[in-house]
Amino acid sequence: MHSEQIKAWAVSRSIYMGGNVLEIDPYNRLSIKPQILNEHMVSFGNRKELVFTNENLLKLHRVGFSLPEIGFLMSHPFQALKKINLLRKIGSSLKANVRSKAYLRLLLAVGLEATAVHLNEDKKCRSIIGSDKGIVEFYLDGDPLPLASLYKKEGSVWTVTITALQKKAKVRISFKSVDVGIKSCLGQLNPQVCSALGDYTIDGYLPLMDKIGYCARITGHDLPILGS
Amino acid sequence: MRSRSNSDQLFKRAASVIPGGTYGHLSPASSLPRHFAHFCSSGKGVYFHDVDQNEWMDFMCAYGAVIHGYQNPIIESAIEKQRSVGTVFNHPHEVSIELAEKLTQLVDFASWSVFAKNGSDLTTWSIRVAREHTKRTFVVKARGAYHGVDAWCDPGMGGRIESDRADILEFEWNDLEQLEGIFKARKDQIAAVILTPYHHAAFAPSVMPEEGFWAGVRNLCHKNGTILVLDDVRAGWRLHEKGSHKYFGFSPDMTVYSKALGNGYAISACVGIPELKNAASEVFLTGSCWSDAVAMRAALTSLEICEKDSVASLVLDKGKYFCSGLENLALEFNFKLRMTGPTSMPYPWFDGDDNLYRIQNFCQIASKYGLFFHPHHNWFISNAHDQVSLDKALALARSSFEEMQNEL
Ligand SMILES: Cc1ncc(COP(=O)(O)O)c(C=O)c1O
């Protein structure tokens, strides 16, 4: 994938992940599962009613509004409008800016999804992460279950989940508070300083977290808000 | 948990004017940030104090930079004398010749020596000397080995461009076949092979050279006209009084030393064979304070003590006592701990603990007892460790194992 395509793909995957976290019902969620149509276009759902060019997806991410491809939209306008409403709902939830655990989870999962796309597709991130694999879990201090996890299994790609995995994590990061977690997702905190002062703790195989963290910051640089 | 309010306060102050607060290997993020102090206030012998007045028994020795203990009185008095006449001038001080003479007398293959401040200054310079001598480009290193902060080898990710490593090739430590393959693929193009005496990567158990490894490397370099550089920055003077190559029985073409060389005073040295002396004088080398006579006096005095007291043998023996004591204690509590690598700089590894949770837990508990055990880096024994301090450390380690077992 070329750089614009990676970013656009990260935006569409993140929106889809947002739907997942917001527990949009499975039928509707599936209806906006992104598909790469070609190197310039992404369709939300199989039926190609809602198609964006990469450029317009990036605009959607930047300004929160962007025109889909009209030709495709006209084939099933009602279905397309339903999907646009779903995207809107996810978009406004992302911008809600509330200090809640639910909002932290949304920001985290969406940012991790964009990071996962970079880990899988971006040349620099791929060279940094190399053949590393395993589970990285993100917690809120005191919670028994993770907010979200990023993982890679043998022979597979980096994937995000918000359901707890059964296997032991290779590394665990735990935010001291919702506030710290949100600021961290928004890229407003320095990881070394946070770790030193206990704003979050990291246990386990630190080198993996270092690499993921660096790639998340590359993602955040490419797509502010989606990475950290 | 020990008190840490001053540490945290200082760290906040630091973070506002220093990127990340503290950087590199001293960054709290790379160890146990909420269990170790962020700042030290003083050190003597095997103990140091942090800024909250906590006393720690040290097993890191300033990450290897201290071999005779903090503030060794003989070295301190030698440098006081030096300091009274000055340290950095418009010309080098005579002590630079004395130190070069000492090193070339100690290190059997060496006929010359140069000095800088850090290990990195000279690992980078040494591969340029090899390039100058061979008129070749490529450098081979072991995967995961640390040779310093420069772009061709640093372990960080930032500020890197593709060309930084275009001429650096890597092989797995101990895999002679792979190394031979590299030589075949890059026939007459390899300027240098740079290796540490044994493989001491962070976050992993240390790996000693297999039987025949060093002879094989030496032979391949010889056959291919490639310079063999030994990076003895970390292990130097802790394995053998005359350089770590003697411990493993081979002869490199250049060796770089730093860390223990100055017992805490900033100095590094590169020594080499006569055939490289011309190339060495062609590759530019200097630094603002590199002619620092105080650091050179510290190094000279440190080497004299190392030689007179056979310090390398002593720290190996002390380490052996400590490492086997610790392994046995672990077993008593049903933990399988291996102290890997040479006993004077052991890396602790719990079997099956690939994700490092167990060692982190152990070092966290040990920190409450004032033991400075690092979970991700090899430890260092100094000659200031003695029977009393090692026994005390073992007793405290026993309590730590006990507590860890109770937590299960
Ligand atoms: C094996 C090795 N080489 C080179 C270096 C770099 O030395 P310095 O940190 O003095 O630049 C180190 C430092 O830890 C080292 O352990």
Side-chain angles (χ1 to χ4, degrees), chain A:
Chain A
M1 283 192 196
H2 55 80
S3 152
E4 190 185 53
Q5 194 186 1
I6 294 170
K7 289 185 211 170
W9 184 236
V11 169
S12 21
R13 289 283 322 173
S14 299
I15 292 172
Y16 179 62
M17 175 51 77
N20 201 356
V21 180
L22 293 171
E23 295 181 358
I24 289 170
D25 70 85
Y27 174 79
N28 280 328
R29 198 186 327 142
L30 212 62
S31 79
I32 54 162
K33 186 169 184 190
Q35 316 275 334
I36 294 173
L37 276 194
N38 57 44
E39 63 176 312
H40 305 294
M41 283 192 235
V42 173
S43 151
F44 285 91
N46 272 334
R47 285 179 43 198
K48 296 188 203 161
E49 309 95 348
L50 189 60
V51 172
F52 287 91
T53 61
N54 293 336
E55 198 185 334
N56 278 340
L57 268 170
L58 294 181
K59 192 170 157 206
L60 182 73
H61 164 253
R62 256 192 336 270
V63 297
F65 174 77
S66 177
L67 277 183
E69 294 306 284
I70 300 290
F72 288 99
L73 188 134
M74 285 308 173
S75 63
H76 294 92
F78 178 69
Q79 290 299 332
L81 279 178
K82 242 178 97 181
K83 290 185 184 188
I84 288 175
N85 275 339
L86 267 181
L87 299 197
R88 268 222 195 102
K89 185 175 166 194
I90 296 167
S92 59
S93 300
L94 268 171
K95 277 190 241 118
N97 203 7
V98 285
R99 203 185 283 181
S100 71
K101 185 169 150 185
Y103 185 59
L104 166 60
R105 169 175 282 187
L106 177 67
L107 276 189
L108 178 65
V110 157
L112 286 177
E113 186 64 41
T115 303
V117 168
H118 278 70
L119 289 168
N120 295 329
E121 305 295 346
D122 178 76
K123 190 173 166 207
K124 185 164 182 185
C125 292
R126 283 172 65 125
S127 88
I128 285 170
I129 201 74
S131 58
D132 285 12
K133 53 183 184 307
I135 301 172
V136 186
E137 283 178 340
F138 296 79
Y139 285 85
L140 187 59
D141 244 7
D143 278 4
L145 295 175
L147 292 161
S149 310
L150 174 66
Y151 68 97
K152 181 182 163 139
K153 286 194 249 172
E154 188 71 56
S156 180
V157 293
W158 286 98
T159 307
V160 180
T161 179
I162 51 166
T163 39
L165 297 159
Q166 295 309 316
K167 284 184 78 176
K168 188 154 185 169
K170 196 165 176 99
V171 57
R172 284 187 306 230
I173 176 165
S174 185
F175 301 116
K176 191 168 84 178
S177 65
V178 166
D179 198 37
V180 164
I182 290 175
K183 283 189 175 142
S184 176
C185 290
L186 295 174
Q188 293 170 353
L189 300 177
N190 177 298
Q192 277 119 341
V193 174
C194 279
S195 165
L197 295 176
D199 289 329
Y200 48 67
T201 52
I202 306 177
D203 300 301
Y205 194 70
L206 269 45
L208 179 59
M209 193 60 227
D210 280 349
K211 291 180 186 178
I212 301 273
Y214 190 75
C215 292
R217 291 191 288 281
I218 291 180
T219 308
H221 180 263
D222 276 3
L223 299 165
I225 301 228
L226 293 187
S228 54

Side-chain angles (χ1 to χ4, degrees), chain B residues 118-121 123 146-148 196 200 231 233-234 258-259:
Chain B
N118 300 292
S120 312
D121 301 333
T123 50
Y146 182 66
H147 296 295
T196 52
H200 46 55
D231 175 353
V233 169
R234 194 182 305 179
S258 189
K259 292 216 181 250

Side-chain angles (χ1 to χ4, degrees), chain B residues 92 115 119 131 185 207 211 233 237 263 269 329 333 346 404:
Chain B
F115 305 105
R131 283 172 169 159
V207 189
E211 183 80 39
V233 169
W237 322 114
N263 202 57
L329 271 177
F333 292 93
M404 186 157 80

